[in-house]
Amino acid sequence: MAPSLYEAHPASVDHVIRRGQIYRFRPVVWLKPPLWIVRNIQWGSPTWANLCRQGDLSDSFRRADDGNEEDVVARAKVRGVVVLSNDTEAASPKLKEVIVAPTYTITSEKPSQEFIDRLRAGAAPGCFYLPRDAAFPDTVECYLDLRKVQPLHKEFLLSQYRLPVRLTANAVAAILDRYKTYLYM
């Protein structure tokens, strides 16, 4: 039997972000089209605004008087994430973001059986398979999508639920090795 990828890490231990921690139900946004721009917001009574497709506006994200920022509306799904940043950076109060990889549960994403077989065999280069572990009831069969690794503001993590389990140092090392291999393909 292969060693577990998980180890206990009680959620009540501390409020410090560490490498390998797994957070669930985060408002992490990996946006998919369409992206709607909110313009002409009126905060009176009644409150109203205009919604425009981003592609329909020639000046979207290029209005200097608003600092080239836009208010947007997008469809997003809350997802679990695994922290990949090292402990020093993750715990530093000076750094406001950590590097995370999103998780995709196999049952809810409904990938093809061929893809699931490739995941389980470790043959999907941009993904890392995380099996369910009966010793840790909070785990689910899922995979990390290494193509979507990105920085995430720490406030999203600290204000939400962290699983009482985290990935072992060996599991994180294997993920980072897979990520490095993927980047050099």
Side-chain angles (χ1 to χ4, degrees):
M1 182 175 183
S4 178
L5 298 177
Y6 306 97
E7 62 187 12
H9 185 67
S12 62
V13 169
D14 57 29
H15 295 289
V16 177
I17 297 171
R18 299 182 196 285
R19 179 180 274 172
Q21 288 176 335
I22 306 168
Y23 290 83
R24 286 269 169 84
F25 309 114
R26 302 300 139 234
V28 179
V29 182
W30 278 269
L31 297 176
K32 293 181 181 176
L35 182 67
W36 295 87
I37 304 291
V38 182
R39 293 272 177 96
N40 305 319
I41 300 172
Q42 300 298 318
W43 294 105
S45 182
T47 300
W48 62 274
N50 298 106
L51 289 179
C52 308
R53 279 185 180 263
Q54 185 264 329
D56 293 343
L57 296 172
S58 61
D59 64 345
S60 65
F61 298 97
R62 289 187 295 242
R63 295 186 313 159
D65 59 325
D66 283 336
N68 297 324
E69 294 180 348
E70 296 279 6
D71 295 305
V72 298
V73 176
R75 189 159 190 81
K77 181 176 180 176
V78 173
R79 274 284 115 263
V81 296
V82 172
V83 176
L84 298 180
S85 289
N86 66 50
D87 286 350
T88 303
E89 288 186 358
S92 172
K94 292 180 180 178
L95 299 174
K96 301 299 181 202
E97 296 177 326
V98 290
I99 304 297
V100 299
T103 63
Y104 292 84
T105 55
I106 290 180
T107 54
S108 68
E109 299 302 324
K110 298 179 181 56
S112 70
Q113 189 60 48
E114 177 188 348
F115 180 68
I116 293 171
D117 293 342
R118 290 180 60 231
L119 275 173
R120 290 177 177 156
C127 301
F128 190 90
Y129 177 69
L130 294 172
R132 184 182 183 298
D133 189 326
F136 299 101
D138 290 309
T139 63
V140 296
E141 186 179 34
C142 63
Y143 64 96
L144 298 178
D145 190 336
L146 301 175
R147 299 165 301 171
K148 297 181 180 179
V149 168
Q150 71 176 49
L152 177 68
H153 204 284
K154 290 179 184 178
E155 284 185 35
F156 281 132
L157 299 178
L158 292 174
S159 65
Q160 301 294 322
Y161 176 71
R162 182 181 77 218
L163 293 184
V165 61
R166 70 177 176 190
L167 295 173
T168 65
N170 288 339
V172 173
I175 291 166
L176 294 174
D177 189 56
R178 169 67 60 89
Y179 187 49
K180 181 176 72 174
T181 301
Y182 169 71
L183 290 175
Y184 286 106
M185 290 179 74

